[in-house]
Every structure is written in C-alpha cells, then in structure tokens.
Amino acid sequence: MSNTDDVAMAEPKRLRSHAGKVLAIAIAAVALVTLHQMISGMDPSEIRRQAFTLSPHAILAAILATSASFVALGLYDVIASRSVAPGRVTWQTAALSGMAGYAFSNLLGFHLLTGGAIRFRTYSRSGLDAGEIGQIVLLTWLAIWLAFAVVVSMALIFDPAGIPLMDLIHPAADRLLGVAILLGLIFAIVRARDHASTISLFGWTIPLPQRNMILLQLLVGTFDIVASAATLYVLLPADVAVGPALFLTVYATALVVGAISHVPGGVGVFEATVIAGLGLAGRADVLAALVVYRLIYYVLPFVVAAVLLAAFESRYFVSRLPARLSAPLRSLKTMMPLITSAVVFMSGIVLLFSGATPGIPARLDALEDVLPLSLVESSHFLGSLLGLALLIVAYGLRRRLFHAWAISMVLLVLGALASLAKGIDWEEAMVLGATALFLLLCRDAFYRRAPLDVSRVSWRWLGLIGLVVAASTWLGYFSYRDVEYSNQLFWQFEWSGDATRFLRATIGLAIGVFALAMYRLIHQPDGGKVRAKTEVHADIADIVAQSPDTQANIALLGDKEFLLSPSEKTFIMYGRAGNSLVSMGDPIGNPAEANELVWRFREVADKQAKRAVFYGVQPENLPLYLDMGYSLLKLGEVARVNLQTFNLEGQKNQEFRYADRRATREEIAFEIIPAEQVPSIMAELREVSDTWLKEKNGSEKSFSLGHFDPVYLARFDCAVMKQHGRIVAFANIWRGGGVELSVDLMRYKSGVSKVLMDALFVRLFLYGKEQGYTWFNLGAAPLSGIPDHSLASRWSRLARLAFRYGDEFYNFGGLRAFKQKFSPVWTPHYLACPGGFNIPQVLLDINFLVSGGLGRLIGANSNKAPGQKSEAA
C-alpha cells in the first residue's frame, strides 16, 4: 500500500477522533446561547429572592430524594463488583466507590476520568487490577444508559403527546419508537445468559453481562433517575404543571446532553435543556429552583464524598501505620492531589464569580466608614486575578508539586483577605479559609520539588480555564445588563461602581488568559518525558536490566529524576544541585537514541535556566560533548577485571590463593543470597553497615553510589561473608546484561580477618566467571591516570597535586593500589560541563549530590580503608 493510501485512510480516522470534541463544543455553545436568551430579562436579585423563599419542606424533600439517588448510585457499583470480582470487594467499599465517584464526576465533568480515578484508588485497595476496575466502570455506565432507555421508551409509549421535543413526529410514530426501544432491551435481556456473553448487531460486537445483573441494574437505574428527577421536581414552583412522563424525559435528556458536552457538571447545558424542554423560559423562580437543585444534588454530595474519602484514607493509613513507618501518609499522597486540585479550582471559580456579581449595598456602606475606596477597588481587582491564579495552580497540585501547594496556600489567604476587603464577603472568605485548612492537612501529599512550570499546563486545562473565565464574564454582563456602557466606566471609581470594578477585572482576566496562552504556545514542553524524583518505574527497571553496563543499576537508587526518549527505550538519570542538572553517566538504553536525548537534556536544563552537566561519561561519547562546546575534565579511571582469564594458578596469583585459603581456615564462608531472601537478613546487614559507618566516621552517600536503603538493597542479590553463621561483610551485586558483574555497597566488620575483603573479591571473581560473565567492574579510582606534565591543563595539574598529597583527607593512592593488584584494565571517565568559571560551581554541585558538601566528603573518607569502593565524586 502506498503512502498516499495510508494518508487517505488516516484522514477519516483523524476526523472521527475530533468529531466528538466538535460535537461537545457545539452542544455547549448552543446551550449556553439558548440559556442566555431565556434569562436575559431576569433580575439577579429576584433570582436570589426566589431561592430564599423556597419552603424548608421542599428543600428537605430534595435532600431526601438526593440521598435515595446516591444510594442507587452506590448500588450500581455493588452489583457490578459482585459480577466482576465476586467475594473480593466488600459492599461498603463498592458503595463508597460508586457514590464518591459519581459525586466527583457529576460536579467536575469528564465522568470516566474523574469517577474512574476515584474507583481505581478505592478498588485497588481490594486487590483489583486495572482491567477489572475498567469492567466495573463499564457495567455501571451500561446501567445508566439502560435506565435512560427505559425512561424514554415508557414516556414515548404512554404520553407521546405530552413531549414537546417530539412534536414533529406523529404520536403513533412516537409510540412505535418507544416500543422499538423497549423491545431492544427485552431482546438484550433474553439473549443474555447466566454468564457474561456477547451479541452481534449490525456489524458491532456488544458485550452482555449476566441476565440477573442486567435486571438488577435496570431496576436500580430506573430508581436512580426517578429519585434524582424528584430532587428537581419538588423544588419547582407549585404552578408548574408538568406531567411525570414529560418531566422524566426532559430531565433524562438534559443529563445526557450535559454529559456529552463535557462541561463540568453540565453547567448551563443542563439548565438550558430543562428550561427549553419544559417551556419555562423567563421565570426567575424556575431558575432559582435549578440553582438550589445544583447546590443540593451536586455540591452537597461532593462535600460529603470528600469527607468520606478522607476518612476512608485516614482509616486505611492508621490501620497500617505500624507496618509503614518508613513511608507515612503514602496512601494520602496518591489520593489527595486529585481532590485538592478540584477543591482549589472550585475556590478559584468562587473568587471569579464573586468578582462578577454586585456587592451587598449594606456591607459596602459599612466598609465606607472603615476603608479607603482605593483599597476596596484594588481588592476587587486583585481578588479576580487571584481566582485566575488558583485555576492555574490547581494544575500543579495534580502533579503533586510542593511549589504549587505553597503558592496555593498564599493565594487562598490573600483571596480570603481580598474578599473581606472588597465587600465583607465573609462567605467566600470562609470557603477559601476552609480550603486553605484542607490543603494544610494534606501537606505531605505534595513532595515533588520540581518548579511550577506554566509551560507544562495542558491545552485542555487552558481550555477549561478559558471556559470558566468566559462564564464569569457572561455572569458579569448578565448582572449589569441594565448599566449603560460607556468608555468612561473604566475610569469611574465610586462606592456604588460595581459595574466599573467588574469591567476592569474582566480586562485584567482577559489579558492574563491571553498572556498564559501565548507563554504556553511559545514555551512548548520538551519532547522527553520527565519522571518525578523518588519514582522508579517498571520501564526504567527493564532498561537497566538489559544494559551491559553495571553502573546503570544506580538508577534504581530512587534519588534521581529521569528523562525518557520518545520511544521510552532510553533514559538519562539526573539530579538537581544548585544551578546544575547533573546527569549520572551517559544515556542508558538504545545507543542510537543517545545523541538526541543528550541534546534534549540540555534543552530541559536551558528552559529552567540551569546548566546541563554530564558526570562520569565514557571515552566513546566524548565527541558528542565536544560538539556541544563543553569542557572535558578527567575524573579518574575505572578498573575492570577480565574474568575469562582470571584464576588462582601461578606465582602472580599467590596472594589471592592465600586470601582464599586463610578465609577458609578462619571459617569464613562465602554465600550469594537471592534478592527475594535479602529482606530476611536485612537486620544483620544493617548491623554490619552501622558498625562500618561508625568505625570509619563516615556518612551515607547518594547519586553516584548506593546507600543503605532496605528497598534499594532488596532489588539485588547480595554477596555475604559469614563467620560462625554471622554475617561479617556484604556487598549488593550489580549485573550488567550477562556481560559485566560489579558490586556497589560494601560494608564489613573490622578486626574479623586481615584478608576479609581480598577473599570477598576473589570469590566474587570466581562466582562471576562460573556464571559466564566477562568482566568484573571494580569501580573508579578518583584522579587516577591524570596527566603529569608541565604542559598539562590547569585542572590536570591541580588534580595531580590532590592525588599526590591528598591522602591525608582521602586515600587516593591506596584505593588505586588496592585495585591494581587484581591486574585490571583501566578505562578513563570524564566530566563534561560548561567551561570557564562554571567549573568550580559544577564541582561543588556534584559534591553536594554525592556527599552532601565538602565537609562531609572529607570527614567521611579521612580514614577510608583501601578495600572499600570509592564513595566520592
């Protein structure tokens, strides 16, 4: 097939992929315009008055109907979970998942995304995988659409004349359509079996759940729609004469249209459909009933669900706290970002809508005697901008960014103060204060220290922000439609000038949204995928397992971030220090992608106004860094022992034979502990490690070397030396794709034997040779092999002096001599970084990453034994 044919086939697919988005936008736009025309003559104060005149009995009945509806929503999940995972999910967990999922998705929109995220969190606790959770979500959605079909079919059959939406069709045709829908449902039930099955219809394969489950879901779904419709029905004015068939049909249609539009909560779309379908345009009491319905059916369940989820998470955390002292609040960290993002976004909407509506005259009169007009004007303008800022920062909360959390706290406090200063809006101030308190309680969920980069805000999120700002603008123009427009309005400053304050705030918001969009357009995010610190994903571990270089295993330490290639087959691991992003070695993975990924890494650093530094790179990649204009500094040499030629025979290997035999006489036994058994000996390993650190007056390192971390050590096989059954030395084993073997963390008890470390290495060599490995990597000897010539570079002369006279602080010569006796092959490795005055700062940044500072480096290595692997930069 030609490329032209491929393009021709791909074009319809591309168009179909965008058709849903276009349809959703068109529905939302038409509905909002229709709603505007329907209520254009209403007075907002009259709508507010009508809302406050609703009877307490009607409000109580609406709350009871809402409760009944959400019981049904919970039953959706109870029935679906019993079908998909019988006996594995308690009915309490399933009911909470259903009610909370629908409470979030009803208010926030994007039903499968928001409701699915809630269900994934709760059901995963019960051991369900993503596929099973997806089946539950699919079955609950199937139940809703089946219920819609039942309601519409019954309405068409029994009262077609009472449905204005069907006026263009003959009543007989209406009944025929209703009967057809009902027969289709009966056919599906008849074809269903006692187990899951499928049917083929017009070329489509449709999955069918069990017959009894379909019947139950139909019953529950119908009850749900009737109960949720009753919530609105009891709030409508008494003189609204609407038959139940018409009302249920219009209500169900409004729900469907609102869901298709993807507008959060179907705001505007739902109201326009209900008002148009019932023919109630121009009535303030009807709009007031719709507003109160929103508060009762959407906002109230959202608040209750958030509290229940917080209690659910807290109970889970408390029940497992003794077993998870090393990772406190881990459960909340995964759940709270989504909730806090939604709550902060809603707080931003509160500020924007508050700034678009008139203040209460009595409160403004009270402020007139206390505050200057300039402060009130400034507070109103600032409050709207703070609302926009909260909408933006909410995106960072989803990504668990600490900076987003800190900025949100400041914005919420300032927003509360601005609300009080612009009109004593204590209600908004309380909402913002409660949100700030909620964020404070969730502090530990935001642990990522990456900066809040606005350029990474998605276009979908920007579109959502634009929609909210547009709605706020429309609300303001609706509120002040009786004010005659004039250019002078922008420059009028008076206590009764609510309209002028709104206009100035609107201009500020428009400029802010435009600037944000332009910044996002200009600063496109990089093509690589940046992984957050402390998260080592399975794809990273797979790449490491296939790499022939054992140094790649340092990626599993969990103290680095990762930049992945677009194919996700190659990565760069790096750390942040000072003004540098420091790559640990060359790219790991597919060599063909290394060049592009190195340049991408430099672009990432450049966008953050930082230096890209490459630490410990190999000679074969030096041309790439030279092409970048980087300076190259030789760090030392890496020692590798050829295992294929290593043996204990001959005069030159007498020392190794002696070490091996003496260790045997001293009853020191060598053993390889598989990774799955390492946790069982972790206490002994920690004792050896603590003793070693205390004797050497040392401290743990990171970045280029491992440190004692049970999670990290449990990833590897462990070589141990035992004397009388007790571990006296250990080293975790790095494997490099069946080619190279190495060790990282080596700890031992002193005074056990003079040949302890020699014997450990000898037996590791023999073990590696037996396993078919070619090389054993002994690690680097810092500053080894530096040129000793009067014409060498300043760095070389300085490094040579440090190597020659620095043994008082660091055992450079002893480490080199220890490794040399194994007759290794020495390979240089380098530091590639910007030259000039950048080099001293780069060295300090690397030292901070590895040792935490110069003082710790010197203190940690002043008494270093020659046998210990290098733990310095």
Side-chain angles (χ1 to χ4, degrees):
M1 185 178 293
S2 66
N3 293 336
T4 304
D5 295 334
D6 292 339
V7 173
M9 295 180 62
E11 185 66 19
K13 294 181 180 179
R14 187 179 65 85
L15 293 177
R16 287 195 297 271
S17 67
H18 294 291
K21 301 176 184 177
V22 174
L23 176 62
I25 295 173
I27 291 174
V30 171
L32 292 174
V33 171
T34 304
L35 180 64
H36 174 70
Q37 294 174 348
M38 290 177 178
I39 65 177
S40 58
M42 298 183 189
D43 185 357
S45 60
E46 177 63 17
I47 297 174
R48 182 183 300 178
R49 189 186 68 79
Q50 291 289 347
F52 281 103
T53 57
L54 285 172
S55 69
H57 297 291
I59 293 176
L60 178 60
I63 293 175
L64 292 176
T66 297
S67 303
S69 174
F70 272 84
V71 168
L73 292 176
L75 287 175
Y76 284 153
D77 280 64
V78 172
I79 298 170
S81 64
R82 294 291 173 88
S83 176
V84 173
R88 295 170 57 191
V89 181
T90 64
W91 71 265
Q92 296 95 331
T93 299
L96 174 63
S97 302
M99 291 187 287
Y102 282 110
F104 274 76
S105 61
N106 285 347
L107 184 65
L108 304 178
F110 305 103
H111 291 69
L112 292 179
L113 177 63
T114 52
I118 298 296
R119 288 181 173 89
F120 184 84
R121 180 59 184 167
T122 52
Y123 284 130
S124 60
R125 290 281 178 74
S126 300
L128 271 62
D129 58 30
E132 293 169 325
I133 297 172
Q135 292 180 49
I136 292 177
V137 174
L138 178 63
L139 290 178
T140 57
W141 269 89
L142 176 64
I144 293 176
W145 287 101
L146 288 176
F148 283 151
V150 169
V151 171
V152 172
S153 64
M154 292 300 176
L156 290 171
I157 292 173
F158 293 106
D159 193 9
I163 305 176
L165 299 175
M166 295 291 184
D167 281 346
L168 299 179
I169 304 178
H170 192 275
D174 295 339
R175 288 192 172 92
L176 183 61
L177 178 60
V179 170
I181 295 174
L182 192 60
L183 288 177
L185 292 175
I186 295 174
F187 174 74
I189 294 174
V190 171
R191 283 296 305 273
R193 303 176 182 178
D194 293 334
H195 55 83
S197 59
T198 60
I199 61 172
S200 297
L201 189 63
F202 303 111
W204 293 83
T205 300
I206 303 173
L208 280 181
Q210 301 173 15
R211 181 184 295 113
N212 60 348
M213 200 206 74
I214 295 178
L215 294 173
L216 279 174
Q217 294 285 46
L218 268 176
L219 180 63
V220 172
T222 305
F223 177 78
D224 164 42
I225 293 180
V226 171
S228 62
T231 304
L232 176 59
Y233 192 81
V234 298
L235 295 172
L236 291 174
D239 62 337
V240 175
V242 179
L246 170 61
F247 183 80
L248 277 176
T249 304
V250 171
Y251 181 84
T253 303
L255 290 178
V256 173
V257 174
I260 294 175
S261 70
H262 289 298
V263 175
V267 175
V269 180
F270 174 85
E271 286 78 2
T273 307
V274 169
I275 293 174
L278 299 180
L280 299 175
R283 295 192 55 168
D285 52 356
V286 172
L287 189 57
L290 285 167
V291 171
V292 175
Y293 162 78
R294 281 277 176 191
L295 294 174
I296 293 176
Y297 194 80
Y298 287 82
V299 177
L300 181 60
F302 175 83
V303 174
V304 173
V307 173
L308 290 177
L309 281 174
F312 177 78
E313 294 289 329
S314 300
R315 184 181 64 178
Y316 180 87
F317 168 70
V318 171
S319 66
R320 285 157 174 78
L321 185 61
R324 297 205 174 184
L325 289 175
S326 61
L329 298 179
R330 182 178 300 173
S331 56
L332 290 179
K333 285 183 180 180
T334 57
M335 190 63 196
M336 289 300 105
L338 176 64
I339 299 176
T340 52
S341 176
V343 171
V344 168
F345 194 91
M346 296 301 297
S347 299
I349 294 177
V350 168
L351 276 177
L352 289 179
F353 284 11
S354 176
T357 52
I360 300 176
R363 297 181 182 180
L364 289 172
D365 292 339
L367 279 179
E368 189 173 357
D369 299 329
V370 180
L371 299 177
L373 177 60
S374 59
L375 180 59
V376 175
E377 296 278 2
S378 302
S379 299
H380 187 281
F381 186 82
L382 178 63
S384 297
L385 294 184
L386 290 172
L388 176 61
L390 285 173
L391 300 184
I392 299 170
V393 174
Y395 183 83
L397 293 176
R398 287 182 58 200
R399 299 179 61 221
R400 304 169 188 156
L401 300 181
F402 170 79
H403 294 88
W405 176 87
I407 294 172
S408 298
M409 291 292 296
V410 174
L411 293 176
L412 289 168
V413 173
L414 292 178
L417 295 176
S419 297
L420 295 174
K422 74 183 180 68
I424 318 181
D425 295 330
W426 58 267
E427 299 93 339
E428 289 91 332
M430 287 187 63
V431 170
L432 297 174
T435 302
L437 179 60
F438 180 62
L439 273 183
L440 187 62
L441 295 175
C442 301
R443 159 65 186 88
D444 288 335
F446 304 95
Y447 57 89
R448 293 179 176 171
R449 294 285 176 169
L452 179 61
D453 187 358
V454 178
S455 69
R456 302 195 68 84
V457 175
S458 67
W459 285 110
R460 180 175 296 180
W461 194 270
L462 281 176
L464 188 58
I465 292 174
L467 182 63
V468 172
V469 172
S472 171
T473 303
W474 171 84
L475 179 62
Y477 278 105
F478 172 74
S479 300
Y480 303 110
R481 66 191 182 282
D482 296 328
V483 179
E484 185 177 354
Y485 176 78
S486 170
N487 291 333
Q488 300 301 320
L489 283 175
F490 290 96
W491 317 113
Q492 292 178 5
F493 299 89
E494 53 189 10
W495 284 100
S496 58
D498 285 327
T500 64
R501 285 191 279 272
F502 158 70
L503 286 175
R504 286 190 289 270
T506 300
I507 294 299
L509 290 175
I511 294 174
V513 173
F514 179 78
L516 178 62
M518 289 299 99
Y519 183 85
R520 174 64 176 80
L521 184 63
I522 294 172
H523 297 80
Q524 290 289 342
D526 56 275
K529 302 177 182 181
V530 178
R531 291 287 171 80
K533 190 176 181 180
T534 74
E535 294 187 4
V536 180
H537 293 252
D539 47 6
I540 297 292
D542 291 341
I543 298 172
V544 169
Q546 298 171 18
S547 174
D549 184 1
T550 54
Q551 187 64 31
N553 287 274
I554 200 65
L556 307 179
L557 187 59
D559 64 345
K560 299 172 187 66
E561 299 176 59
F562 301 95
L563 180 66
L564 276 164
S565 65
S567 69
E568 299 191 355
K569 295 180 179 179
T570 311
F571 69 85
I572 284 178
M573 48 181 160
Y574 66 96
R576 300 173 182 268
N579 203 31
S580 302
L581 296 185
V582 183
S583 166
M584 181 59 233
D586 299 300
I588 305 297
N590 185 358
E593 298 179 335
N595 192 312
E596 180 181 354
L597 193 59
V598 165
W599 281 104
R600 180 63 62 191
F601 179 69
R602 190 173 183 186
E603 291 173 2
V604 170
D606 182 69
K607 288 181 180 180
Q608 300 178 25
K610 295 182 181 294
R611 292 179 294 260
V613 178
F614 300 87
Y615 173 74
V617 298
Q618 300 302 310
E620 57 267 24
N621 294 316
L622 296 187
L624 172 59
Y625 304 111
L626 288 173
D627 289 343
M628 291 177 132
Y630 271 19
S631 295
L632 299 175
L633 281 66
K634 188 173 183 179
L635 298 174
E637 295 177 309
V638 176
R640 288 180 172 86
V641 176
N642 189 332
L643 297 181
Q644 299 302 311
T645 60
F646 178 83
N647 57 66
L648 298 182
E649 306 299 326
Q651 180 65 28
K652 66 175 184 178
N653 295 323
Q654 181 180 358
E655 182 180 354
F656 305 147
R657 291 197 303 274
Y658 171 77
D660 183 61
R661 292 169 182 173
R662 178 168 175 175
T664 302
R665 289 196 302 271
E666 294 176 354
E667 298 183 359
I668 299 176
F670 172 81
E671 184 179 349
I672 299 294
I673 307 296
E676 60 271 15
Q677 298 179 19
V678 168
S680 64
I681 62 169
M682 197 64 69
E684 284 190 80
L685 300 184
R686 181 176 291 279
E687 179 188 355
V688 173
S689 176
D690 291 345
T691 302
W692 186 89
L693 288 171
K694 184 177 180 180
E695 291 174 349
K696 302 303 176 185
N697 192 28
S699 58
E700 296 285 14
K701 304 298 182 293
S702 59
F703 189 64
S704 64
L705 296 147
H707 52 259
F708 194 95
D709 177 13
V711 176
Y712 169 68
L713 290 177
R715 291 179 174 270
F716 307 102
D717 295 343
C718 187
V720 299
M721 299 292 277
K722 291 184 177 181
Q723 187 177 50
H724 308 305
R726 299 290 298 173
I727 296 176
V728 294
F730 72 89
N732 62 310
I733 298 177
W734 282 355
R735 301 179 187 272
V739 177
E740 186 176 84
L741 199 67
S742 183
V743 293
D744 175 35
L745 195 70
M746 288 183 290
R747 303 286 161 87
Y748 60 91
K749 291 183 177 180
S750 62
V752 175
S753 173
K754 293 182 179 180
V755 298
L756 181 60
M757 297 308 294
D758 285 353
L760 174 61
F761 276 107
V762 167
R763 295 181 182 184
L764 278 170
F765 295 164
L766 295 175
Y767 167 78
K769 183 175 183 177
E770 179 185 346
Q771 295 294 314
Y773 287 90
T774 304
W775 297 96
F776 190 97
N777 190 329
L778 286 171
L783 305 185
S784 171
I786 302 295
D788 186 11
H789 195 280
S790 59
L791 297 181
S793 66
R794 287 189 294 271
W795 160 254
S796 296
R797 294 198 299 270
L798 179 64
R800 192 66 189 177
L801 287 173
F803 182 83
R804 185 175 299 170
Y805 302 109
D807 278 356
E808 181 178 352
F809 305 103
Y810 189 98
N811 194 9
F812 295 110
L815 185 61
R816 162 82 188 201
F818 174 80
K819 296 181 178 181
Q820 178 60 42
K821 66 183 179 182
F822 295 106
S823 302
V825 176
W826 293 97
T827 305
H829 69 146
Y830 297 84
L831 169 68
C833 66
F837 292 105
N838 289 292
I839 294 177
Q841 185 60 54
V842 166
L843 294 174
L844 289 175
D845 290 342
I846 294 174
N847 174 252
F848 178 83
L849 278 175
V850 177
S851 302
L854 186 60
R856 288 186 60 187
L857 171 66
I858 295 174
N861 296 286
S862 57
N863 296 317
K864 191 173 183 58
Q868 174 63 16
K869 187 178 179 180
S870 171
E871 293 194 356

